[in-house]
Amino acid sequence: MQPTTPGVIGVIGGSGVYNIDGLTNSAWQTVHSSFGAPSDQLLVGELDGQRLVFLPRHGRGHRIPPSEVNYRANIDALKRCGVTDIISVSAVGSLREDLRPGMFVIVDQFVDRTFAREKTFFTSGCVAHVSMAHPTCDRLSVHLKAAADACAITAVKGGVYLVMEGPQFSSRAESELYRSWNCDVIGMTNMPEAKLAREAEICYASIAMVTDYDCWHPDHDAVTVDQIIRVLNANAGHARSLVKDAVPRLSRDAKRLSCSCQSALEFALITAPEARDPELLARLDAVAGRVLRRSAKE
């Protein structure tokens, strides 16, 4: 059974994933956001008849460090393209012995340790509080795990992603601290990305590609960029294969229209309508248009 309204799948490519195989009718398009410039143009096309939008998180050529990514503009631009489901791909270090380099983790929880990033669309003039108890969409994650299995990719469903500020890697003390918190992987990019996707009422799932053991493992050297790149090059093809297999599964998913992620703002706005800043509301036309239009009619 097909959803009555076709969805649009967005893919945010992290380190090592700068394109999508098999796209047809594709073109790089400039999408303007009211929150500034996205990381790059967006590659819009079709994959097996399904509309798909790809955005390289760091820009083509990996120009932008994690702390300088305009996460708000990225999510806003994807929303303006009609994206309903986001598959986020990122490189991570492992904080567990059994999560070996080369494996994938389909993340379901985050610990946000970032501090230098804009983390919400809802600033002074229109305040909103969304739930992040379950920060990823389990509906998407189930499809990603099925796609990984079909592609013979070793992937673990479920895991805690510690998001650090970067761009430097962890100290040994930090790495051991995060392990004591029962975190599973560590990276620099999924926050505030996941929070903003929730505020924009977009379903979000995270594929974390393990490249190293951070710096805690006594039998492995401290993480270096050349080490990461070697594993990334091996894994990038797997990531693209996983996405390609997942897309038709998502296209056929009749549960999308009833997914709670897509009504996250239903009771989130707390600022009284008469106290809302018109300029901010104008910037929120894509992110919160559904609830703002309804509120204007009431």
Side-chain angles (χ1 to χ4, degrees):
M1 179 180 177
Q2 291 276 9
T4 56
T5 303
V8 178
I9 297 172
V11 178
I12 300 177
S15 302
V17 180
Y18 304 112
N19 58 71
I20 295 294
D21 297 334
L23 274 187
T24 59
N25 302 318
S26 62
W28 288 96
Q29 298 182 7
T30 299
V31 179
H32 297 285
S33 166
S34 54
F35 292 89
S39 295
D40 206 325
Q41 292 180 304
L42 280 68
L43 181 61
V44 179
E46 295 181 358
L47 189 59
D48 296 327
Q50 166 66 51
R51 186 169 172 80
L52 187 145
V53 180
F54 173 75
L55 174 63
R57 183 187 287 114
H58 300 282
R60 283 169 285 182
H62 206 112
R63 299 174 290 103
I64 307 170
S67 296
E68 295 182 26
V69 171
N70 190 338
Y71 295 95
R72 295 197 300 179
N74 285 354
I75 297 298
D76 182 64
L78 289 169
K79 183 76 172 186
R80 291 179 188 279
C81 290
V83 167
T84 54
D85 304 285
I86 290 175
I87 299 172
S88 168
V89 184
S90 59
V92 297
S94 172
L95 297 171
R96 283 175 35 189
E97 180 83 43
D98 59 325
L99 295 178
R100 301 178 303 279
M103 293 178 64
F104 285 26
V105 179
I106 302 170
V107 176
D108 65 350
Q109 285 292 333
F110 296 101
V111 174
D112 185 1
R113 296 286 290 173
T114 65
F115 53 81
R117 309 174 186 190
E118 296 285 355
K119 297 190 180 188
T120 180
F121 293 110
F122 295 94
T123 53
S124 296
C126 187
V127 178
H129 301 282
V130 298
S131 172
M132 291 298 295
H134 303 285
T136 64
C137 178
D138 190 63
R139 179 182 63 85
L140 295 188
S141 296
V142 167
H143 289 306
L144 292 177
K145 181 60 166 71
D149 291 345
C151 296
I153 296 170
T154 303
V156 175
K157 183 177 179 294
V160 180
Y161 180 146
L162 186 291
V163 192
M164 64 184 295
E165 185 64 50
Q168 302 85 0
F169 296 123
S170 305
S171 70
R172 178 69 179 268
E174 289 170 331
S175 195
E176 293 290 4
L177 175 64
Y178 303 148
R179 279 168 46 79
S180 76
W181 290 352
N182 293 319
C183 297
D184 299 300
V185 295
I186 181 169
M188 302 180 187
T189 58
N190 275 197
M191 283 292 173
E193 193 174 85
K195 291 178 177 177
L196 295 166
R198 179 60 51 82
E199 287 188 341
E201 298 188 320
I202 303 175
C203 297
Y204 179 93
S206 173
I207 304 170
M209 304 185 297
V210 178
T211 60
D212 56 84
Y213 277 113
D214 202 35
C215 63
W216 65 269
H217 201 298
D219 297 329
H220 293 264
D221 294 333
V223 58
T224 60
V225 169
D226 63 324
Q227 173 188 357
I228 289 174
I229 290 175
R230 283 197 299 272
V231 181
L232 277 179
N233 288 338
N235 268 2
H238 287 159
R240 292 193 294 269
S241 296
L242 192 158
V243 169
K244 188 173 183 179
D245 188 274
V247 165
R249 299 174 189 273
L250 297 175
S251 298
R252 297 190 298 266
D253 189 352
K255 296 180 180 180
R256 179 181 59 79
L257 291 177
S258 60
C259 187
S260 61
C261 301
Q262 299 188 21
S263 58
L265 292 176
E266 192 67 24
F267 303 106
L269 299 186
I270 195 168
T271 304
E274 65 274 13
R276 295 171 185 170
D277 178 3
E279 291 187 9
L280 178 55
L281 297 186
R283 299 177 75 195
L284 293 168
D285 61 328
V287 167
R290 182 186 70 84
V291 292
L292 292 177
R293 287 190 293 270
R294 186 191 63 196
S295 178
K297 294 177 181 179
E298 294 175 350

